[in-house]
Amino acid sequence: RKEVEQDPGPFNVPEGATVAFNCTYSNSASQSFFWYRQDCRKEPKLLMSVYSSGNEDGRFTAQLNRASQYISLLIRDSKLSDSATYLCVVPPRGSARQLTFGSGTQLTVLP
Amino acid sequence: EPEVTQTPSHQVTQMGQEVILRCVPISNHLYFYWYRQILGQKVEFLVSFYNNEISEKSEIFDDQFSVERPDGSNFTLKIRSTKLEDSAMYFCASRGTGTGYDNSPLHFGNGTRLTVT
């Protein structure tokens, strides 16, 4: 299994739709997980941190399944401005080591 | 909100030239990173830096690359003899205000677009 693997997409959904992305990881020792969004030619920006079973922030919900080693991101009532690439990031235990990025899932919300 | 700043935003250089990409991490962060992203590809780890030394580097980070934290605020990436394939977006990131085990996320700068001609 790759260190971090994401749904490749692209996902093209209409405005108002609910969409979910999955991310699987191989390092069972990882304790924290992050979802970032990246707009074209911009830096990744932190969307959500996931430290326990899940986290909710408005229309966004992240869930963690440690037994199956995956995290998911659910976007409800999607908006045009949600169009971006969503990156899953899994740090290993230990602060200074590299944080591994998934290849990203591209989302396009259509009017 | 404190942020990571990178300069320049765009650097054009000729093959074989040396470039230095500069970053000012968030002031109380302890861990510093360089990532790169070739157009259309994933974000790739280059190097992590902690306590004034490299803590981990990828296979991309070969002898042509080096990092420094010369004055306690700047964090630089030097590419000694640039190749065409070094053309990419280079992102600096920082994290972590504590010691030991740390769950904090990365905070990225806006990136430097390097174009090697």
mmCIF file of all heavy atoms in Angstrom, chain A residues 31-32 34 36 38 41-44 46 51 87 93-99 101-103, chain B residues 31 33 35 37 42 45 48 55-56 89 91 95 100-103 105-106 108-110 113:
data_model
loop_
_atom_site.group_PDB
_atom_site.id
_atom_site.type_symbol
_atom_site.label_atom_id
_atom_site.label_comp_id
_atom_site.label_asym_id
_atom_site.label_seq_id
_atom_site.Cartn_x
_atom_site.Cartn_y
_atom_site.Cartn_z
ATOM 1 N N GLN A 31 -0.974 9.665 14.103
ATOM 2 C CA GLN A 31 -1.950 10.066 15.111
ATOM 3 C C GLN A 31 -2.827 11.226 14.670
ATOM 4 O O GLN A 31 -3.898 11.426 15.214
ATOM 5 C CB GLN A 31 -1.208 10.491 16.392
ATOM 6 C CG GLN A 31 -0.440 9.355 17.053
ATOM 7 C CD GLN A 31 -1.373 8.354 17.678
ATOM 8 O OE1 GLN A 31 -2.236 8.707 18.477
ATOM 9 N NE2 GLN A 31 -1.230 7.086 17.308
ATOM 10 N N SER A 32 -2.327 12.013 13.759
ATOM 11 C CA SER A 32 -3.075 13.190 13.319
ATOM 12 C C SER A 32 -3.084 13.232 11.801
ATOM 13 O O SER A 32 -2.176 12.705 11.160
ATOM 14 C CB SER A 32 -2.444 14.457 13.889
ATOM 15 O OG SER A 32 -1.069 14.502 13.593
ATOM 16 N N PHE A 34 -4.600 15.568 8.218
ATOM 17 C CA PHE A 34 -5.012 16.890 7.781
ATOM 18 C C PHE A 34 -5.578 16.838 6.384
ATOM 19 O O PHE A 34 -5.098 16.084 5.533
ATOM 20 C CB PHE A 34 -3.823 17.868 7.803
ATOM 21 C CG PHE A 34 -3.099 17.903 9.125
ATOM 22 C CD1 PHE A 34 -1.893 17.250 9.284
ATOM 23 C CD2 PHE A 34 -3.641 18.577 10.202
ATOM 24 C CE1 PHE A 34 -1.230 17.269 10.498
ATOM 25 C CE2 PHE A 34 -2.985 18.598 11.420
ATOM 26 C CZ PHE A 34 -1.775 17.947 11.569
ATOM 27 N N TYR A 36 -6.052 19.473 3.271
ATOM 28 C CA TYR A 36 -5.714 20.783 2.731
ATOM 29 C C TYR A 36 -6.480 20.970 1.427
ATOM 30 O O TYR A 36 -6.799 20.001 0.740
ATOM 31 C CB TYR A 36 -4.217 20.886 2.413
ATOM 32 C CG TYR A 36 -3.319 21.084 3.606
ATOM 33 C CD1 TYR A 36 -3.034 20.033 4.475
ATOM 34 C CD2 TYR A 36 -2.739 22.323 3.870
ATOM 35 C CE1 TYR A 36 -2.211 20.215 5.573
ATOM 36 C CE2 TYR A 36 -1.903 22.512 4.954
ATOM 37 C CZ TYR A 36 -1.647 21.457 5.802
ATOM 38 O OH TYR A 36 -0.819 21.647 6.887
ATOM 39 N N GLN A 38 -6.063 23.057 -2.286
ATOM 40 C CA GLN A 38 -5.100 23.778 -3.084
ATOM 41 C C GLN A 38 -5.786 24.286 -4.338
ATOM 42 O O GLN A 38 -6.325 23.499 -5.123
ATOM 43 C CB GLN A 38 -3.901 22.892 -3.458
ATOM 44 C CG GLN A 38 -2.799 23.659 -4.175
ATOM 45 C CD GLN A 38 -1.584 22.827 -4.501
ATOM 46 O OE1 GLN A 38 -1.673 21.621 -4.678
ATOM 47 N NE2 GLN A 38 -0.407 23.463 -4.576
ATOM 48 N N ARG A 41 -2.144 26.622 -8.879
ATOM 49 C CA ARG A 41 -0.925 27.415 -8.791
ATOM 50 C C ARG A 41 -0.804 28.215 -7.490
ATOM 51 O O ARG A 41 -0.105 29.224 -7.432
ATOM 52 C CB ARG A 41 -0.783 28.354 -9.981
ATOM 53 C CG ARG A 41 -0.651 27.598 -11.295
ATOM 54 C CD ARG A 41 -0.564 28.525 -12.472
ATOM 55 N NE ARG A 41 -0.438 27.763 -13.712
ATOM 56 C CZ ARG A 41 0.608 27.791 -14.515
ATOM 57 N NH1 ARG A 41 1.642 28.551 -14.218
ATOM 58 N NH2 ARG A 41 0.639 27.071 -15.603
ATOM 59 N N LYS A 42 -1.491 27.736 -6.456
ATOM 60 C CA LYS A 42 -1.378 28.386 -5.151
ATOM 61 C C LYS A 42 -0.856 27.381 -4.134
ATOM 62 O O LYS A 42 -0.762 26.180 -4.419
ATOM 63 C CB LYS A 42 -2.761 28.877 -4.689
ATOM 64 C CG LYS A 42 -3.403 29.880 -5.601
ATOM 65 C CD LYS A 42 -2.787 31.236 -5.420
ATOM 66 C CE LYS A 42 -3.582 32.279 -6.179
ATOM 67 N NZ LYS A 42 -2.931 33.598 -6.110
ATOM 68 N N GLU A 43 -0.555 27.903 -2.943
ATOM 69 C CA GLU A 43 -0.070 27.010 -1.905
ATOM 70 C C GLU A 43 -1.215 26.216 -1.278
ATOM 71 O O GLU A 43 -2.356 26.675 -1.256
ATOM 72 C CB GLU A 43 0.673 27.814 -0.808
ATOM 73 C CG GLU A 43 -0.208 28.564 0.180
ATOM 74 C CD GLU A 43 -0.658 29.913 -0.332
ATOM 75 O OE1 GLU A 43 -0.636 30.149 -1.563
ATOM 76 O OE2 GLU A 43 -1.077 30.729 0.510
ATOM 77 N N PRO A 44 -0.913 25.026 -0.738
ATOM 78 C CA PRO A 44 -1.945 24.293 0.002
ATOM 79 C C PRO A 44 -2.342 25.082 1.250
ATOM 80 O O PRO A 44 -1.488 25.652 1.931
ATOM 81 C CB PRO A 44 -1.250 22.987 0.389
ATOM 82 C CG PRO A 44 -0.086 22.872 -0.542
ATOM 83 C CD PRO A 44 0.343 24.270 -0.828
ATOM 84 N N LEU A 46 -4.614 24.830 4.883
ATOM 85 C CA LEU A 46 -5.237 23.892 5.811
ATOM 86 C C LEU A 46 -6.751 24.067 5.818
ATOM 87 O O LEU A 46 -7.266 25.170 6.003
ATOM 88 C CB LEU A 46 -4.679 24.113 7.220
ATOM 89 C CG LEU A 46 -5.237 23.194 8.292
ATOM 90 C CD1 LEU A 46 -4.785 21.756 8.044
ATOM 91 C CD2 LEU A 46 -4.799 23.657 9.675
ATOM 92 N N TYR A 51 -7.894 14.673 14.629
ATOM 93 C CA TYR A 51 -7.064 14.061 15.652
ATOM 94 C C TYR A 51 -7.734 12.855 16.297
ATOM 95 O O TYR A 51 -7.070 11.976 16.805
ATOM 96 C CB TYR A 51 -6.712 15.070 16.747
ATOM 97 C CG TYR A 51 -5.930 16.256 16.243
ATOM 98 C CD1 TYR A 51 -6.439 17.544 16.344
ATOM 99 C CD2 TYR A 51 -4.673 16.087 15.674
ATOM 100 C CE1 TYR A 51 -5.717 18.633 15.876
ATOM 101 C CE2 TYR A 51 -3.945 17.165 15.207
ATOM 102 C CZ TYR A 51 -4.477 18.438 15.323
ATOM 103 O OH TYR A 51 -3.758 19.509 14.859
ATOM 104 N N LEU A 87 -6.184 17.802 -0.718
ATOM 105 C CA LEU A 87 -5.000 17.000 -0.415
ATOM 106 C C LEU A 87 -5.115 16.400 0.981
ATOM 107 O O LEU A 87 -5.405 17.107 1.946
ATOM 108 C CB LEU A 87 -3.741 17.870 -0.463
ATOM 109 C CG LEU A 87 -3.491 18.630 -1.767
ATOM 110 C CD1 LEU A 87 -2.384 19.651 -1.582
ATOM 111 C CD2 LEU A 87 -3.116 17.670 -2.866
ATOM 112 N N ARG A 93 4.602 9.604 13.267
ATOM 113 C CA ARG A 93 4.950 10.037 14.633
ATOM 114 C C ARG A 93 6.321 10.710 14.594
ATOM 115 O O ARG A 93 7.209 10.287 13.913
ATOM 116 C CB ARG A 93 5.001 8.847 15.569
ATOM 117 C CG ARG A 93 3.663 8.329 15.992
ATOM 118 C CD ARG A 93 3.813 7.301 17.093
ATOM 119 N NE ARG A 93 4.036 7.936 18.382
ATOM 120 C CZ ARG A 93 3.091 8.079 19.300
ATOM 121 N NH1 ARG A 93 1.871 7.669 19.068
ATOM 122 N NH2 ARG A 93 3.365 8.644 20.453
ATOM 123 N N GLY A 94 6.431 11.770 15.365
ATOM 124 C CA GLY A 94 7.724 12.478 15.345
ATOM 125 C C GLY A 94 7.580 13.768 14.585
ATOM 126 O O GLY A 94 7.141 13.800 13.463
ATOM 127 N N SER A 95 7.923 14.859 15.208
ATOM 128 C CA SER A 95 7.578 16.166 14.667
ATOM 129 C C SER A 95 8.333 16.540 13.420
ATOM 130 O O SER A 95 7.800 17.210 12.561
ATOM 131 C CB SER A 95 7.861 17.235 15.716
ATOM 132 O OG SER A 95 7.128 17.002 16.859
ATOM 133 N N ALA A 96 9.581 16.172 13.311
ATOM 134 C CA ALA A 96 10.401 16.767 12.261
ATOM 135 C C ALA A 96 10.372 15.971 10.979
ATOM 136 O O ALA A 96 10.887 16.413 9.964
ATOM 137 C CB ALA A 96 11.828 16.944 12.743
ATOM 138 N N ARG A 97 9.787 14.812 11.020
ATOM 139 C CA ARG A 97 9.829 14.016 9.810
ATOM 140 C C ARG A 97 8.841 14.527 8.785
ATOM 141 O O ARG A 97 7.944 15.292 9.072
ATOM 142 C CB ARG A 97 9.558 12.552 10.161
ATOM 143 C CG ARG A 97 10.677 11.934 10.991
ATOM 144 C CD ARG A 97 10.506 10.457 11.117
ATOM 145 N NE ARG A 97 10.508 9.822 9.789
ATOM 146 C CZ ARG A 97 9.937 8.653 9.556
ATOM 147 N NH1 ARG A 97 9.314 8.012 10.509
ATOM 148 N NH2 ARG A 97 9.983 8.131 8.337
ATOM 149 N N GLN A 98 9.000 14.074 7.580
ATOM 150 C CA GLN A 98 8.204 14.602 6.498
ATOM 151 C C GLN A 98 6.729 14.278 6.676
ATOM 152 O O GLN A 98 6.369 13.240 7.201
ATOM 153 C CB GLN A 98 8.692 14.051 5.168
ATOM 154 C CG GLN A 98 8.576 12.538 5.066
ATOM 155 C CD GLN A 98 8.920 12.069 3.675
ATOM 156 O OE1 GLN A 98 8.218 12.372 2.734
ATOM 157 N NE2 GLN A 98 10.005 11.339 3.552
ATOM 158 N N LEU A 99 5.915 15.178 6.255
ATOM 159 C CA LEU A 99 4.491 14.942 6.158
ATOM 160 C C LEU A 99 4.211 14.568 4.718
ATOM 161 O O LEU A 99 4.584 15.282 3.801
ATOM 162 C CB LEU A 99 3.708 16.194 6.527
ATOM 163 C CG LEU A 99 3.557 16.461 8.032
ATOM 164 C CD1 LEU A 99 4.851 16.914 8.642
ATOM 165 C CD2 LEU A 99 2.465 17.483 8.281
ATOM 166 N N PHE A 101 2.066 13.887 1.446
ATOM 167 C CA PHE A 101 0.863 14.336 0.769
ATOM 168 C C PHE A 101 0.326 13.245 -0.153
ATOM 169 O O PHE A 101 1.095 12.558 -0.825
ATOM 170 C CB PHE A 101 1.167 15.555 -0.105
ATOM 171 C CG PHE A 101 1.241 16.835 0.661
ATOM 172 C CD1 PHE A 101 2.353 17.146 1.411
ATOM 173 C CD2 PHE A 101 0.189 17.739 0.623
ATOM 174 C CE1 PHE A 101 2.423 18.340 2.128
ATOM 175 C CE2 PHE A 101 0.254 18.931 1.327
ATOM 176 C CZ PHE A 101 1.374 19.223 2.079
ATOM 177 N N GLY A 102 -0.988 13.144 -0.179
ATOM 178 C CA GLY A 102 -1.618 12.370 -1.233
ATOM 179 C C GLY A 102 -1.524 13.149 -2.536
ATOM 180 O O GLY A 102 -1.152 14.319 -2.558
ATOM 181 N N SER A 103 -1.866 12.490 -3.615
ATOM 182 C CA SER A 103 -1.766 13.135 -4.929
ATOM 183 C C SER A 103 -2.902 14.112 -5.176
ATOM 184 O O SER A 103 -2.859 14.890 -6.115
ATOM 185 C CB SER A 103 -1.709 12.092 -6.032
ATOM 186 O OG SER A 103 -2.796 11.211 -5.901
ATOM 187 N N TYR B 31 10.001 23.759 13.266
ATOM 188 C CA TYR B 31 10.266 22.780 12.209
ATOM 189 C C TYR B 31 10.009 23.447 10.873
ATOM 190 O O TYR B 31 8.974 24.081 10.675
ATOM 191 C CB TYR B 31 9.369 21.549 12.368
ATOM 192 C CG TYR B 31 9.412 20.990 13.769
ATOM 193 C CD1 TYR B 31 8.408 21.289 14.678
ATOM 194 C CD2 TYR B 31 10.457 20.184 14.176
ATOM 195 C CE1 TYR B 31 8.450 20.795 15.970
ATOM 196 C CE2 TYR B 31 10.506 19.691 15.470
ATOM 197 C CZ TYR B 31 9.497 19.999 16.361
ATOM 198 O OH TYR B 31 9.548 19.523 17.638
ATOM 199 N N TYR B 33 10.351 23.233 6.462
ATOM 200 C CA TYR B 33 10.276 22.272 5.365
ATOM 201 C C TYR B 33 10.366 23.004 4.025
ATOM 202 O O TYR B 33 9.942 24.154 3.903
ATOM 203 C CB TYR B 33 8.924 21.536 5.386
ATOM 204 C CG TYR B 33 8.651 20.781 6.653
ATOM 205 C CD1 TYR B 33 8.176 21.437 7.790
ATOM 206 C CD2 TYR B 33 8.844 19.411 6.726
ATOM 207 C CE1 TYR B 33 7.927 20.747 8.962
ATOM 208 C CE2 TYR B 33 8.585 18.708 7.897
ATOM 209 C CZ TYR B 33 8.125 19.383 9.005
ATOM 210 O OH TYR B 33 7.870 18.694 10.156
ATOM 211 N N TYR B 35 9.061 21.948 0.141
ATOM 212 C CA TYR B 35 8.365 21.038 -0.757
ATOM 213 C C TYR B 35 8.442 21.639 -2.155
ATOM 214 O O TYR B 35 8.648 22.843 -2.324
ATOM 215 C CB TYR B 35 6.882 20.903 -0.369
ATOM 216 C CG TYR B 35 6.613 20.040 0.828
ATOM 217 C CD1 TYR B 35 6.764 20.543 2.120
ATOM 218 C CD2 TYR B 35 6.185 18.725 0.687
ATOM 219 C CE1 TYR B 35 6.503 19.747 3.236
ATOM 220 C CE2 TYR B 35 5.918 17.929 1.790
ATOM 221 C CZ TYR B 35 6.080 18.445 3.060
ATOM 222 O OH TYR B 35 5.823 17.653 4.149
ATOM 223 N N GLN B 37 6.482 21.394 -6.209
ATOM 224 C CA GLN B 37 5.365 20.862 -6.992
ATOM 225 C C GLN B 37 5.604 21.213 -8.454
ATOM 226 O O GLN B 37 5.532 22.385 -8.832
ATOM 227 C CB GLN B 37 4.027 21.425 -6.513
ATOM 228 C CG GLN B 37 2.826 20.772 -7.161
ATOM 229 C CD GLN B 37 1.517 21.242 -6.546
ATOM 230 O OE1 GLN B 37 1.395 22.380 -6.098
ATOM 231 N NE2 GLN B 37 0.526 20.369 -6.505
ATOM 232 N N LYS B 42 1.959 16.122 -7.987
ATOM 233 C CA LYS B 42 1.681 16.224 -6.555
ATOM 234 C C LYS B 42 2.748 17.028 -5.829
ATOM 235 O O LYS B 42 3.841 17.250 -6.339
ATOM 236 C CB LYS B 42 1.538 14.837 -5.940
ATOM 237 C CG LYS B 42 2.810 14.016 -5.944
ATOM 238 C CD LYS B 42 2.581 12.627 -5.372
ATOM 239 C CE LYS B 42 2.475 12.647 -3.871
ATOM 240 N NZ LYS B 42 2.423 11.300 -3.276
ATOM 241 N N PHE B 45 7.867 16.187 -1.027
ATOM 242 C CA PHE B 45 8.748 16.568 0.065
ATOM 243 C C PHE B 45 10.194 16.648 -0.420
ATOM 244 O O PHE B 45 10.671 15.774 -1.137
ATOM 245 C CB PHE B 45 8.622 15.525 1.179
ATOM 246 C CG PHE B 45 9.650 15.642 2.265
ATOM 247 C CD1 PHE B 45 9.537 16.605 3.248
ATOM 248 C CD2 PHE B 45 10.725 14.762 2.307
ATOM 249 C CE1 PHE B 45 10.471 16.693 4.262
ATOM 250 C CE2 PHE B 45 11.665 14.841 3.315
ATOM 251 C CZ PHE B 45 11.547 15.818 4.301
ATOM 252 N N SER B 48 13.341 18.401 5.569
ATOM 253 C CA SER B 48 12.873 18.986 6.820
ATOM 254 C C SER B 48 14.077 19.392 7.660
ATOM 255 O O SER B 48 15.154 18.804 7.552
ATOM 256 C CB SER B 48 11.967 18.019 7.592
ATOM 257 O OG SER B 48 12.654 16.815 7.873
ATOM 258 N N SER B 55 16.741 17.142 9.282
ATOM 259 C CA SER B 55 16.276 15.960 9.998
ATOM 260 C C SER B 55 15.870 14.854 9.031
ATOM 261 O O SER B 55 15.970 13.679 9.370
ATOM 262 C CB SER B 55 15.120 16.292 10.942
ATOM 263 O OG SER B 55 14.114 16.958 10.257
ATOM 264 N N GLU B 56 15.430 15.221 7.846
ATOM 265 C CA GLU B 56 15.109 14.205 6.860
ATOM 266 C C GLU B 56 15.154 14.836 5.477
ATOM 267 O O GLU B 56 14.853 16.017 5.335
ATOM 268 C CB GLU B 56 13.718 13.616 7.119
ATOM 269 C CG GLU B 56 13.396 12.408 6.276
ATOM 270 C CD GLU B 56 12.203 11.629 6.798
ATOM 271 O OE1 GLU B 56 11.673 11.973 7.863
ATOM 272 O OE2 GLU B 56 11.809 10.665 6.114
ATOM 273 N N MET B 89 7.124 24.807 -8.651
ATOM 274 C CA MET B 89 6.760 25.709 -7.563
ATOM 275 C C MET B 89 7.418 25.159 -6.310
ATOM 276 O O MET B 89 7.291 23.967 -6.024
ATOM 277 C CB MET B 89 5.242 25.708 -7.412
ATOM 278 C CG MET B 89 4.744 26.792 -6.521
ATOM 279 S SD MET B 89 4.845 28.397 -7.323
ATOM 280 C CE MET B 89 3.332 29.105 -6.780
ATOM 281 N N PHE B 91 7.615 25.374 -2.282
ATOM 282 C CA PHE B 91 6.888 25.851 -1.114
ATOM 283 C C PHE B 91 7.720 25.636 0.140
ATOM 284 O O PHE B 91 8.254 24.557 0.376
ATOM 285 C CB PHE B 91 5.568 25.084 -0.938
ATOM 286 C CG PHE B 91 4.552 25.339 -2.005
ATOM 287 C CD1 PHE B 91 4.206 24.337 -2.908
ATOM 288 C CD2 PHE B 91 3.916 26.562 -2.109
ATOM 289 C CE1 PHE B 91 3.255 24.557 -3.895
ATOM 290 C CE2 PHE B 91 2.965 26.803 -3.089
ATOM 291 C CZ PHE B 91 2.646 25.794 -3.985
ATOM 292 N N ARG B 95 6.049 24.487 11.071
ATOM 293 C CA ARG B 95 5.056 23.956 12.017
ATOM 294 C C ARG B 95 5.696 23.839 13.368
ATOM 295 O O ARG B 95 6.903 23.853 13.518
ATOM 296 C CB ARG B 95 4.535 22.599 11.569
ATOM 297 C CG ARG B 95 5.526 21.455 11.686
ATOM 298 C CD ARG B 95 5.056 20.223 10.952
ATOM 299 N NE ARG B 95 4.046 19.479 11.654
ATOM 300 C CZ ARG B 95 4.229 18.277 12.181
ATOM 301 N NH1 ARG B 95 5.411 17.707 12.114
ATOM 302 N NH2 ARG B 95 3.239 17.658 12.783
ATOM 303 N N GLY B 100 9.174 17.517 21.256
ATOM 304 C CA GLY B 100 8.656 16.160 21.375
ATOM 305 C C GLY B 100 7.531 15.913 20.400
ATOM 306 O O GLY B 100 7.477 16.494 19.329
ATOM 307 N N TYR B 101 6.637 15.083 20.751
ATOM 308 C CA TYR B 101 5.563 14.677 19.870
ATOM 309 C C TYR B 101 4.643 15.855 19.556
ATOM 310 O O TYR B 101 4.255 16.616 20.417
ATOM 311 C CB TYR B 101 4.770 13.551 20.538
ATOM 312 C CG TYR B 101 3.732 12.968 19.645
ATOM 313 C CD1 TYR B 101 4.084 12.317 18.477
ATOM 314 C CD2 TYR B 101 2.389 13.096 19.943
ATOM 315 C CE1 TYR B 101 3.135 11.797 17.637
ATOM 316 C CE2 TYR B 101 1.435 12.573 19.117
ATOM 317 C CZ TYR B 101 1.806 11.928 17.965
ATOM 318 O OH TYR B 101 0.853 11.413 17.134
ATOM 319 N N ASP B 102 4.318 16.049 18.329
ATOM 320 C CA ASP B 102 3.646 17.270 17.921
ATOM 321 C C ASP B 102 2.670 16.959 16.802
ATOM 322 O O ASP B 102 3.033 16.339 15.818
ATOM 323 C CB ASP B 102 4.703 18.266 17.433
ATOM 324 C CG ASP B 102 4.133 19.652 17.227
ATOM 325 O OD1 ASP B 102 2.948 19.756 16.870
ATOM 326 O OD2 ASP B 102 4.864 20.624 17.408
ATOM 327 N N ASN B 103 1.425 17.389 16.982
ATOM 328 C CA ASN B 103 0.401 17.119 15.988
ATOM 329 C C ASN B 103 0.081 18.294 15.103
ATOM 330 O O ASN B 103 -0.893 18.262 14.366
ATOM 331 C CB ASN B 103 -0.897 16.726 16.707
ATOM 332 C CG ASN B 103 -0.875 15.284 17.157
ATOM 333 O OD1 ASN B 103 -0.349 14.436 16.470
ATOM 334 N ND2 ASN B 103 -1.448 15.026 18.307
ATOM 335 N N PRO B 105 -0.303 21.157 12.255
ATOM 336 C CA PRO B 105 -0.262 21.108 10.791
ATOM 337 C C PRO B 105 0.838 21.995 10.224
ATOM 338 O O PRO B 105 1.409 22.839 10.910
ATOM 339 C CB PRO B 105 -1.636 21.640 10.391
ATOM 340 C CG PRO B 105 -2.010 22.568 11.490
ATOM 341 C CD PRO B 105 -1.425 21.975 12.745
ATOM 342 N N LEU B 106 1.096 21.809 8.952
ATOM 343 C CA LEU B 106 2.032 22.666 8.224
ATOM 344 C C LEU B 106 1.349 23.968 7.841
ATOM 345 O O LEU B 106 0.181 23.982 7.473
ATOM 346 C CB LEU B 106 2.469 21.988 6.925
ATOM 347 C CG LEU B 106 3.428 20.815 7.006
ATOM 348 C CD1 LEU B 106 3.475 20.114 5.665
ATOM 349 C CD2 LEU B 106 4.801 21.279 7.406
ATOM 350 N N PHE B 108 1.976 26.889 5.038
ATOM 351 C CA PHE B 108 2.749 27.092 3.815
ATOM 352 C C PHE B 108 2.900 28.559 3.459
ATOM 353 O O PHE B 108 1.999 29.371 3.698
ATOM 354 C CB PHE B 108 2.054 26.400 2.642
ATOM 355 C CG PHE B 108 2.231 24.918 2.627
ATOM 356 C CD1 PHE B 108 1.370 24.102 3.319
ATOM 357 C CD2 PHE B 108 3.266 24.352 1.903
ATOM 358 C CE1 PHE B 108 1.542 22.724 3.309
ATOM 359 C CE2 PHE B 108 3.444 22.979 1.876
ATOM 360 C CZ PHE B 108 2.586 22.161 2.581
ATOM 361 N N GLY B 109 4.032 28.868 2.847
ATOM 362 C CA GLY B 109 4.180 30.158 2.193
ATOM 363 C C GLY B 109 3.506 30.125 0.833
ATOM 364 O O GLY B 109 3.029 29.080 0.373
ATOM 365 N N ASN B 110 3.485 31.294 0.173
ATOM 366 C CA ASN B 110 2.816 31.414 -1.122
ATOM 367 C C ASN B 110 3.576 30.730 -2.257
ATOM 368 O O ASN B 110 3.029 30.570 -3.348
ATOM 369 C CB ASN B 110 2.637 32.885 -1.503
ATOM 370 C CG ASN B 110 1.642 33.575 -0.609
ATOM 371 O OD1 ASN B 110 0.847 32.920 0.042
ATOM 372 N ND2 ASN B 110 1.694 34.888 -0.578
ATOM 373 N N ARG B 113 7.802 30.410 -7.781
ATOM 374 C CA ARG B 113 7.771 29.681 -9.061
ATOM 375 C C ARG B 113 9.138 29.812 -9.703
ATOM 376 O O ARG B 113 9.559 30.921 -10.046
ATOM 377 C CB ARG B 113 6.699 30.256 -9.986
ATOM 378 C CG ARG B 113 6.573 29.492 -11.297
ATOM 379 C CD ARG B 113 5.515 30.095 -12.210
ATOM 380 N NE ARG B 113 4.280 30.324 -11.500
ATOM 381 C CZ ARG B 113 3.398 29.385 -11.185
ATOM 382 N NH1 ARG B 113 3.633 28.138 -11.530
ATOM 383 N NH2 ARG B 113 2.295 29.680 -10.541
#
